[in-house]
Amino acid sequence: GRDVKGNMAALAALARSPLPLPLATLTARRSILSLDNLAAAVLHALADHRVAPGAYLVADPGAITVAEMIAAMREGLARRPGLFSAPAAAMNALARLAGRAEAWKRLSQALVVDTGRLQATGWRPAVSTRDALAAWMRQAARQN
């Protein structure tokens, strides 16, 4: 959303950057959740009798890589992805030198949730991750 914080704000800043980025190296998949899909999941949970009490995981369909996230954001800005691969060992060394080894380690690990329980109740995401990220960046660019 508009006032996003943390890692997603950092990724958006990278996407806005005109520089080519060596992030095609990051191939671990991640689940994220757009506001549209969160709203759709809440409405589904409130309205559908198949949703029993309990915990449900919700995420956009198809986990994507950080590189794919940035490419989608740049697409929303009508720009080319501008991503390239760099040797993983070099990226690890640079992260260590910058004092960001832990952050790089977290960024390069998979973080995927299973939304099967919620989908078994008939819930389907309203929007794809790529479309949501591109739309978010288009909207943010219009507001600035």
Side-chain angles (χ1 to χ4, degrees):
R2 181 176 173 191
D3 296 320
V4 71
K5 306 266 188 262
N7 292 339
M8 194 55 75
L11 286 178
L14 286 173
R16 287 186 192 99
S17 162
L19 302 173
L21 301 170
L23 300 179
T25 304
L26 296 172
T27 58
R29 298 207 162 288
R30 306 190 141 249
S31 295
I32 63 173
L33 177 60
S34 70
L35 291 175
D36 289 339
N37 287 338
L38 173 60
V42 170
L43 289 174
H44 174 76
L46 292 172
D48 197 299
H49 70 279
R50 295 173 290 181
V51 181
Y56 291 83
L57 298 176
V58 60
D60 290 351
I64 66 173
T65 68
V66 170
E68 291 168 332
M69 288 179 205
I70 291 175
M73 289 180 200
R74 285 184 166 177
E75 179 183 314
L77 297 170
R79 295 185 38 219
R80 298 180 75 123
L83 300 168
F84 64 93
S85 290
M91 295 302 291
N92 285 328
L94 285 173
R96 270 195 317 279
L97 287 172
R100 306 288 294 168
E102 266 311 303
W104 180 257
K105 181 180 175 184
R106 283 192 310 273
L107 195 58
S108 59
Q109 292 178 339
L111 182 58
V112 178
V113 300
D114 179 1
T115 61
R117 183 170 185 228
L118 184 59
Q119 288 185 13
T121 69
W123 178 75
R124 296 295 175 261
V127 63
S128 76
T129 301
R130 290 188 63 81
D131 290 346
L133 288 170
W136 170 49
M137 293 304 283
R138 275 192 300 277
Q139 179 184 18
R142 283 193 300 265
Q143 292 173 347
N144 290 335

